Amino acid sequence: MNNIRTNWYKKAVVYQIYPRSFYDANNDGLGDIQGIIEKLDYLKELGINCIWLSPIYDSPQKDNGYDISDYEGIYPPFGTMEDCKKMIDEMHKRGIRLIMDLVANHTSDQHKWFLEALKDKNSPYRDYYYIRKGKRNGKKPPNNWKGFFGERAWERIGDTDEWYLHLFTKEQPDLNWENPKVREEIKGVLKFWLDLGADGFRCDVINLISKKQDFRSRIPLPALTGMDAYINGPRLHEFLHELYVDVLSKYDCMTVGEAVMATPKVNISLVDPKREELDMIFNFSHTDSDNFFGVKYFYRKFKLTRFKRRLNKQQVSLAGKGWNSLFIENHDQRRSVGRFGTTEDDINSSKSLAAAYFFLQGTPFIYQGQEFGMRNAHFESMDEIKDVESFNVNAILSKVPVFKKRFKQILFDVSRDNARTPVLWDDSVYGGFSKVEPWIRVNKSKNEVNAKHALDDKDSLLYFYKDLIKLKYDYKVIEDGTFKMIKIANPHFFAYERENDSEKLVVISSFSKTCRRFKYSEIIPNSNIVLSNFKEHEKAFKPFETRVYLFKKS
Ligand code: TEU
């Protein structure tokens, strides 16, 4: 095997940009590529060395770009291919790598492949998708599968007897990876972007690309009927390995796969380096710890011990075998402030959470605005919501009697739009994101929580993240140390050790609103602390105090 891959991702700190909400340089209400270029110095200063860019490809934007109509073209309101090349260049000049979002489970229904497939029954593109005859003379769908946005997973093609499969909106038909031509097309897309300078990919819903081919109906479930047929399908590993061998192994790139409902066994099977598939996945077991069955609408109170146990399981099951991704937010999750044991009125709680996840074993990711504590949107009306998922689920669940009364509030609380309001750069009328009214309403907390405010205050969360990032680069033990959770049953602290031959790092984060002791033999309150959100340390931890200790071995 060649050695082109340096595994640089093990030293990376990745910042996720959701372009439509990041920064609007041309003042049309929508973020854009020039806006990203303008903010690169801010990101360089923060210290990150890699960006994951959510889709910028041409798209009808039914799902904000996760419905791609041209994998090699740019959505015009975001800019041009020239802008994109300039952006990659400007990133690389600053030592920042770029990973693109690869959305290859489905295309847009406006992609030329799908348009061709519908136009002509004999078109070779027909077999790029799953098109099947419906039941009852074509009047009913081929089976009872349901997709991720609550709807049935099939859409009838006009008034013909045929239907196509879509696990997301009906404007996102699923690609048929069984067809070798589809796999060649996707390899072409990978090569196109790698040759243009991209350094890797975040692979959208990658564990959905292989489907059981029986297309039988399954036992109806409250959500995702048919999931046993389309999550972790029979040829998933084979397809990923093929991409690796034919393309990914030939570049010094990295991949992080979004894996829906991944168990530890699935997780290791996807990231075991010997299998040559993906470098890491996003495992959502910890972010799902505040809901039932992985369905966010069935949410329950956050419990620190449950959150810890799930992260512990991820860490332990991959220890010495495969790499992790570390995250608490992204564009599909509501904000972490007020969610994972944190509060809106004590910034220390966000610092405590940040230290708790940042030095686990793996590559840390930060979602735009997380670094200065952006809050949830606190929506009050459906008019404020733009996300297709929220609309589709609302249409279905608001009819279910048990949800009727409470459902709107649940939807406002968990809608993906909570993470998609414009980044608050300052306290001006549109939060410094744009000079005109943005595509989605500005977060009401703009006067208290914005980047400018954070940059002016050396005690802000932003400077704390800066310190975390610097430490991550400074200490090898954070990259290669073993992991051990300390006192996992303690409901007030998140604590762990990382250890290698020369160093031991100990992180102790309080999630308590009162002062508390944490008995742990190896620590003395004031020595060996390399980072903390408080200057003075006593035996007891102050509310939401976090301390990172570093011990050198002689
Ligand atoms: O998300 C996949 C996915 O599992 C989510 O849609 C999840 O079901 C939902 O957010 C839970 O609330 C990816 C992208 O991250 C998302 O933005 C896209 O909408 C989706 O795929 C389709 O491409």
Side-chain angles (χ1 to χ4, degrees), residues 536-553:
E536 302 296 324
H537 307 282
E538 284 138 48
K539 278 206 170 126
F541 280 68
K542 294 179 192 68
F544 298 114
E545 177 174 344
T546 180
R547 300 177 197 166
V548 180
Y549 291 90
L550 195 275
F551 304 95
K552 295 260 183 216
K553 297 184 181 172

Side-chain angles (χ1 to χ4, degrees), residues 359 467 471 475 478 504-506 526-532 537 547-552:
F359 296 141
D467 291 343
L471 280 194
Y475 295 110
I478 299 171
K504 180 168 181 175
L505 183 102
V506 180
N526 277 305
S527 53
N528 298 86
I529 294 178
V530 284
L531 182 65
S532 176
H537 307 282
R547 300 177 197 166
V548 180
Y549 291 90
L550 195 275
F551 304 95
K552 295 260 183 216

Side-chain angles (χ1 to χ4, degrees), residues 440-549:
I440 187 169
R441 89 141 157 72
V442 172
N443 200 307
K444 287 178 191 146
S445 61
K446 73 176 171 62
N447 292 346
E448 307 97 77
V449 183
N450 62 64
K452 182 169 181 302
H453 199 77
L455 285 166
D456 290 344
D457 170 10
K458 289 274 185 261
D459 281 332
S460 67
L461 181 61
L462 189 140
Y463 282 99
F464 191 77
Y465 266 103
K466 234 178 124 166
D467 291 343
L468 285 171
I469 295 168
K470 195 171 167 312
L471 280 194
K472 153 89 189 157
Y473 300 141
D474 282 354
Y475 295 110
K476 188 97 174 47
V477 65
I478 299 171
E479 182 188 328
D480 65 8
T482 56
F483 165 84
K484 198 171 125 221
M485 192 76 92
I486 312 167
K487 295 187 198 276
I488 196 161
N490 184 320
H492 305 294
F493 287 88
F494 189 122
Y496 57 97
E497 302 174 343
R498 305 289 316 278
E499 186 167 5
N500 66 12
D501 291 343
S502 53
E503 294 162 335
K504 180 168 181 175
L505 183 102
V506 180
V507 179
I508 305 176
S509 286
S510 166
F511 281 74
S512 173
K513 290 181 182 156
T514 57
C515 290
R516 278 181 196 275
R517 295 276 292 271
F518 185 79
K519 291 208 186 82
Y520 177 61
S521 57
E522 301 196 34
I523 60 163
I524 311 162
N526 277 305
S527 53
N528 298 86
I529 294 178
V530 284
L531 182 65
S532 176
N533 50 348
F534 287 91
K535 287 190 183 71
E536 302 296 324
H537 307 282
E538 284 138 48
K539 278 206 170 126
F541 280 68
K542 294 179 192 68
F544 298 114
E545 177 174 344
T546 180
R547 300 177 197 166
V548 180
Y549 291 90

Side-chain angles (χ1 to χ4, degrees), residues 16 18 52 54-55 63-67 101 103-106 148-149 167-169 172 202-205 208 224 258-261 284 288 294-297 330-333 387-389 393 414-416 420:
Q16 183 193 351
Y18 193 68
W52 151 25
S54 278
D63 187 17
N64 292 357
Y66 284 87
D67 50 322
D101 214 312
V103 189
N105 173 69
H106 43 267
F148 283 80
F149 295 159
L167 294 180
F168 292 89
T169 72
Q172 290 163 298
R202 173 267 185 187
C203 311
D204 192 62
V205 289
L208 305 185
L224 301 177
E258 186 198 28
V260 185
M261 298 188 181
F284 296 96
D288 278 335
V295 181
K296 65 182 173 190
Y297 304 99
N330 69 28
H331 66 291
D332 292 334
Q333 302 280 328
D387 182 20
V388 64
E389 178 192 65
V393 174
V414 303
S415 170
R416 304 193 295 185
R420 298 176 179 185

Side-chain angles (χ1 to χ4, degrees), residues 256-440:
V256 48
E258 186 198 28
V260 185
M261 298 188 181
T263 59
K265 207 169 141 212
V266 168
N267 195 339
I268 187 64
S269 72
L270 290 166
V271 305
D272 179 349
K274 290 197 287 293
R275 300 178 61 129
E276 303 186 315
E277 295 180 20
L278 298 168
D279 294 314
M280 62 187 117
I281 64 158
F282 291 123
N283 185 321
F284 296 96
S285 68
H286 62 299
T287 51
D288 278 335
S289 69
D290 63 355
N291 66 48
F292 292 102
F293 320 119
V295 181
K296 65 182 173 190
Y297 304 99
F298 305 151
Y299 72 38
R300 57 179 166 181
K301 201 168 173 285
F302 174 77
K303 244 179 110 176
L304 184 66
T305 45
R306 201 184 287 130
F307 184 69
K308 282 198 287 182
R309 283 186 206 286
R310 295 200 175 186
L311 278 169
N312 185 52
K313 206 166 177 180
Q314 288 178 22
Q315 292 279 305
V316 171
S317 62
L318 292 183
K321 296 188 216 148
W323 199 252
N324 281 293
S325 73
L326 310 169
F327 67 99
I328 50 172
E329 294 191 10
N330 69 28
H331 66 291
D332 292 334
Q333 302 280 328
R334 62 186 187 279
R335 293 283 183 181
S336 60
V337 180
R339 182 176 183 193
F340 300 125
T342 53
T343 75
E344 287 197 352
D345 49 23
D346 192 341
I347 201 73
N348 282 308
S349 63
S350 287
K351 293 182 180 174
S352 211
L353 174 67
Y357 94 95
F358 219 78
F359 296 141
L360 297 172
Q361 198 262 349
T363 299
F365 286 70
I366 299 169
Y367 177 64
Q368 62 185 33
Q370 177 190 325
E371 74 277 18
F372 58 87
M374 272 192 69
R375 296 177 184 172
N376 285 307
H378 300 291
F379 293 116
E380 285 163 6
S381 123
M382 266 323 267
D383 299 338
E384 297 178 328
I385 306 253
K386 308 289 173 204
D387 182 20
V388 64
E389 178 192 65
S390 298
F391 283 121
N392 292 6
V393 174
N394 180 45
I396 294 161
L397 282 192
S398 54
K399 288 189 205 122
V400 180
V402 23
F403 281 118
K404 224 174 195 159
K405 247 177 108 192
R406 282 248 309 136
F407 185 65
K408 281 282 179 325
Q409 191 54 49
I410 296 178
L411 190 76
F412 295 155
D413 290 347
V414 303
S415 170
R416 304 193 295 185
D417 280 344
N418 278 297
R420 298 176 179 185
T421 62
V423 170
L424 296 169
W425 295 103
D426 59 39
D427 61 5
S428 62
V429 56
Y430 299 120
F433 165 76
S434 177
K435 292 200 170 62
V436 304
E437 193 173 353
W439 68 278
I440 187 169

